[in-house]
């Protein structure tokens, strides 16, 4: 706890920060150049935070257009093409520019070296390059949107995307191709960092579970992303050069694209959700002051989910005329993902059992996460079961299911993480009242938005419909009303985080009494090189006994 | 807005109750597990509230019997769902042998439907009650998906290949038909109705305004497209006799220009007939020169279905005599007025 000594007493706001505060990564250099060319993993993490927040707002606005249009059965707000472009950009922006980089690139970058006792990631320059590759890809994708948008859906199914669509598919494909390399390089960087840069004594089974999850995610990014890059490149080749790959009129096979696309995009779901699963284990342990129940099982279940994620892709294709035997195999394999996911939920409950639970905002998010991830995961069973999937495929049931995983799971996990590490990132606390309130509003708004969609799906409403039959209006109005509430919940953190950044109470190095190196061995905010001296690890990650928690009263 | 509200879709096919039963089983299991997880979460959060700042609970590393329990039980539940799912799925995808055929072609943004008796319709499908109906589906352009929620079935329309689905309607009425695979600008307008009629009404409907049957339309094309020039079915033939070949195993000599292993046979179903018309070199019947030109781009998907319908109906000795003076296209047009053109 040497770092605690570095904290100075409360100081006046407004002047002489540099003089009275110890040097940290935020105040060590204020120039623009020092940010834009920073090799510090913490600053790169924050640059990602700013860009993905902008991406999230853009994707959110697009979702707003979709939900507004669906208030009435007739297509009376925007034209069909505008509607199609809206849901396409919502999907593309949210998935490729927000969810995939969210936890790994923001929280992973910031926390991973701190958690394993390293001064930085293994390749700091490569890390900065990843950010600029991401930015370049994002700018090209934005160009495609500004030129007039893309109307293929985020899935880019052929031959619509490769031959028929009159929108900017090629530009978008180039943007996503480039962004993919950012993901690959970040994955590579993290894999090497976890292998090579762990502090002395930090064996694999002393790693925090968030690191296990990031590690599994990085392997998926490394192995899966090249496949989507190649698939999109092939779409571009067919569009621009007319080489027959997917369009049957040119001798191609349209279903081949779906195999290639889902071979990446199903694992991509796990790129988005796995980091949340790991992070929630850390949050629950910290706020229950108890070691994680079944540590090894949770670590292995992250790896199992990553591996199984690669062998279930064809469950997106049960209605394409896939061989019935292939369908049975993929159905069976899909169930195998349910088991490690279920185990994670049960171990979180067991971790809370006889714990000492406190209700700070990250824990509120974690509790909401357990409920929503459970619903998201269990509704997957309807879709892995062949007999019910045929009816539910391509309906709003699927939309609801993956939003429960992507929003209820990945985004709530991300929110838990941002609130959890905010004091570490900025050195300041945010308002617990507003934090808990926004978590509650998001939880309620989310359920109102997406639960009705399960029923809409069973009633048969197809996805990506600009107009729909009148009898489906009630549930659509519910869903759109819920989306308004959800939007309010999402906007609130922008304000209280901004307030906290400038006026928040000083956090101290370890306000929650957590046990991992990021809290126990660094100051808040951390110094530019993280650790005054390399920490030596002698025990497992979640040992609360015999430790005086540096608790800050709120 | 509220009066039309309902929780469950109409149940109007033989598989619909099976799908619903399975669905309700999974609902029961998942609602049960969700309720349990939420209850325990709330219970623990309240019960194990931190009592004071220095309250540090005893660590708990694991409990093997408990962990085995919560692994084995979900595995068992998943296996039941899987097995039940496969059973219902096989009922959904395997049509009875006596199913009647109807042909569906999707295109941006309409469904074109042909009945073997000759009736054609757009965005509406008339079917009789209580009879198995097998749809053979394809697309002229992009992917579509023929989806009838009241029957709990759907099937993608894939350009360049035939897919099929079947159902047996159990309740007379009018049901929603959707395209559920995104297909471009007017995807959400590629909808229609499925009209389920009593058998007598259906027969009456079939006879009303029906032009010559599908096979007869195909027979005209068989002449027009010059198929008859080589497939003469007699000693002059330069190509295999097509009489009665449907659903037989045909020996083939070459595949994609390469010699096929001796004894290779192919099952002459709709897909094979379609492939042989569009890509004659894909699988060449043994004993014949590969001289047939490709008809890709020469025939529409609907015409293909008519020609195949004719070949299916062609019995021993029925190949029509070859007419030396092929009628002019205009003459054929007169004989074979297309309903869409008349509109």
């Amino acid at each position: 706890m040497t770092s605690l000594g570095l904290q100075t007493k409360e100081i006046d706001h407004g002047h002489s920060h540099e003089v009275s505060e110890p040097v940290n990564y935020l105040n060590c250099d204020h120039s623009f150049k020092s940010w834009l060319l920073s090799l510090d993993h913490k600053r790169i993490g924050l640059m990602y935070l700013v860009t993905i927040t902008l991406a999230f707002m853009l994707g959110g606005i697009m979702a707003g257009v979709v939900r507004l249009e669906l208030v009435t059965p007739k297509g009376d707000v925007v034209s069909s093409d505008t509607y199609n472009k809206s849901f396409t950009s919502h999907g593309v922006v949210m998935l490729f520019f927000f969810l995939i980089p969210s936890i790994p690139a923001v929280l992973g970058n910031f926390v991973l070296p701190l958690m394993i006792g390293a001064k930085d990631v293994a390749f700091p320059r490569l890390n900065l390059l990843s950010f600029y590759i991401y930015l370049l890809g994002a700018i090209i994708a934005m160009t495609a949107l500004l030129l007039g948008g893309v109307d293929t859906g985020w899935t880019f199914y052929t031959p619509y995307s490769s031959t028929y669509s009159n929108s900017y598919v090629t530009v978008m494909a180039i943007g996503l191709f480039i962004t993919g390399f950012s993901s690959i390089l970040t994955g590579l960087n993290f894999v090497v960092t976890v292998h090579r840069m762990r502090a002395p004594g930090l064996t694999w089974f002393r790693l925090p579970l968030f690191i296990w999850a990031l590690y599994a995610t990085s392997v998926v990014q490394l192995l899966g992303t090249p496949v989507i890059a190649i698939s999109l490149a092939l779409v571009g080749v067919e569009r621009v050069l007319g080489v027959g790959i997917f369009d049957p009129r040119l001798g191609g096979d349209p279903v081949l694209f779906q195999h290639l696309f889902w071979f990446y995009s199903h694992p991509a779901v796990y790129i988005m959700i796995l980091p949340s699963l790991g992070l929630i284990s850390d949050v629950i342990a910290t706020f229950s002051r108890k070691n994680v129940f079944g540590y090894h099982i949770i670590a292995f279940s992250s790896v199992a989910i990553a591996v199984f994620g690669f062998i279930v892709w064809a469950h997106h294709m049960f209605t394409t005329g896939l061989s019935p035997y292939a369908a049975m195999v993929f159905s069976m394999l899909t169930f195998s993902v349910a088991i490690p996911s279920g185990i994670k939920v049960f171990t979180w409950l067991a971790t809370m059992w006889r714990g000492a639970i406190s209700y700070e905002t990250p824990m509120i998010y974690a509790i909401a996460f357990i409920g929503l991830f459970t619903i998201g995961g269990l509704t997957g069973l309807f879709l892995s079961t062949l007999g019910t999937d045929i009816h539910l495929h391509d309906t709003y049931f699927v939309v609801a299911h993956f939003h429960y995983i992507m929003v209820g799971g990945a985004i709530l996990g991300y929110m838990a993480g941002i609130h959890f590490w905010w004091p570490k990132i900025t050195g300041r606390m945010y308002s617990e009242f507003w934090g808990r309130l926004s978590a509650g509003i998001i939880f309620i708004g989310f359920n109102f938005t997406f639960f009705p969609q399960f029923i809409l799906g069973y009633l048969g409403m197809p996805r990506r419909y600009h107009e729909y039959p009148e009898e489906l209006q009630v549930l659509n109005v519910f869903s759109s009303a819920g989306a308004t509430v959800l939007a309010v919940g999402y906007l609130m953190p922008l304000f209280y985080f901004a307030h906290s950044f400038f006026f928040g109470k000083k956090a101290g190095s370890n306000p929650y009494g957590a046990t991992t190196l990021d809290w126990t061995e660094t100051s808040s905010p951390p110094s530019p090189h993280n650790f005054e001296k390399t920490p030596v690890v002698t025990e497992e990650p979640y040992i609360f006994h015999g430790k005086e928690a540096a608790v800050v009263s709120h | 807005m509220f009066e039309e509200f309902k929780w469950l879709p109409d149940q109007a096919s033989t598989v619909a109750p099976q799908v619903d039963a399975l669905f309700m089983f999974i609902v029961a299991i998942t609602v049960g597990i969700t309720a349990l997880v939420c209850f325990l979460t709330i219970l623990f959060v309240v019960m194990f509230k931190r009592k004071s700042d220095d309250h540090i609970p005893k660590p708990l590393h694991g409990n093997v019997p408990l962990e085995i329990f919560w692994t084995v039980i979900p595995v068992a539940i998943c296996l039941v769902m899987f097995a039940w799912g496969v059973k219902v799925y096989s009922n959904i995808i395997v049509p009875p042998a006596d199913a009647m055929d109807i042909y569906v072609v999707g295109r941006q943004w309409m469904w074109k439907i042909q009945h073997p008796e000759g009736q054609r319709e757009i965005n509406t499908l008339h079917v009789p009650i209580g009879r198995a109906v097998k749809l053979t589906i394809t697309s002229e352009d992009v992917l579509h998906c023929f989806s009838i929620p009241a029957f709990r079935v759907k099937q993608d329309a894939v350009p360049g290949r035939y897919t099929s689905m079947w159902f047996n309607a159990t309740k007379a009425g009018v049901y929603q038909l959707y395209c559920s695979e995104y297909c471009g600008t007017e995807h959400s307008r590629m909808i229609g109705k499925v009209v389920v009629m009593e058998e007598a009404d259906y027969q009456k409907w079939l006879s009303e305004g029906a032009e010559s049957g599908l096979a007869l339309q195909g027979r005209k094309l068989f002449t027009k497209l010059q198929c008859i020039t080589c497939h003469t079915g007699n000693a002059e033939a330069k190509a295999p006799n097509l009489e009665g070949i449907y659903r037989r195993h045909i020996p083939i000599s070459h595949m994609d220009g390469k010699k096929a292993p001796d004894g290779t046979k192919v099952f002459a179903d709709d897909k094979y007939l379609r492939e042989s018309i569009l890509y004659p070199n894909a699988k060449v019947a043994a004993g014949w020169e590969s001289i047939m030109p490709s008809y890709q781009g020469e025939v529409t998907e609907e015409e293909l279905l008519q020609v195949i319908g004719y070949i299916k109906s062609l019995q021993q000795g029925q190949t029509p005599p070859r007419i030396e003076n092929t009628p002019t296209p205009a003459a054929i047009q007169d004989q074979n007025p297309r309903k869409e053109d008349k509109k």
Side-chain angles (χ1 to χ4, degrees), chain A residues 300-422:
Chain A
F300 286 131
S301 70
S302 285
V303 177
I305 291 174
V307 172
F308 291 149
F310 274 108
I311 49 175
V312 300
W313 76 90
H315 68 210
H316 296 268
M317 301 167 57
F318 289 154
T319 64
T320 55
L322 193 71
S323 146
Y325 300 103
M328 286 178 211
V329 170
F330 279 100
S331 165
M332 183 61 124
L333 289 169
T334 303
F335 279 110
S336 68
V337 181
I339 307 302
S341 309
I343 288 172
K344 278 179 187 281
V345 172
F346 298 131
T347 51
W348 292 326
L349 289 175
T351 302
M352 295 200 293
W353 166 255
R354 292 193 172 157
I357 299 171
S358 67
Y359 310 143
E360 277 92 350
T361 308
M363 187 61 177
I364 302 290
Y365 272 110
I367 293 164
F369 176 97
I370 294 176
L372 300 183
F373 177 72
T374 301
I375 297 177
L378 288 171
T379 49
L381 296 175
F382 293 87
L383 302 170
S384 34
T385 304
L386 284 167
T388 41
D389 179 73
I390 301 298
H391 175 56
L392 295 170
H393 178 77
D394 267 334
T395 67
Y396 263 82
F397 192 95
V398 177
V399 176
H401 160 69
F402 72 67
H403 280 87
Y404 265 81
I405 295 290
M406 298 287 88
V407 181
I411 294 185
L412 258 60
Y414 172 72
M415 295 295 271
I418 281 285
H419 285 83
F420 186 50
W421 278 294
W422 183 263

Side-chain angles (χ1 to χ4, degrees), chain B residues 159-220:
Chain B
R161 61 172 81 159
Y162 288 145
T163 53
S164 65
M165 71 186 240
W166 83 277
F167 53 81
N168 188 338
T170 51
K171 215 166 86 182
V174 179
Y175 304 101
Q176 193 72 45
L177 162 67
Y178 294 113
C179 171
S180 63
E181 182 66 69
Y182 176 69
C183 59
T185 308
E186 293 191 14
H187 170 52
S188 69
R189 290 192 179 163
M190 195 166 160
I191 57 174
K193 298 288 175 203
V194 177
V195 183
V196 178
M197 310 166 100
E198 296 295 338
E199 181 69 40
D201 296 337
Y202 179 72
Q203 289 306 334
K204 185 154 165 274
W205 175 83
L206 272 183
S207 59
E208 276 170 12
E211 42 191 305
S212 55
L214 185 78
L216 198 56
Q217 292 159 6
R219 176 177 163 152
K220 287 169 186 158

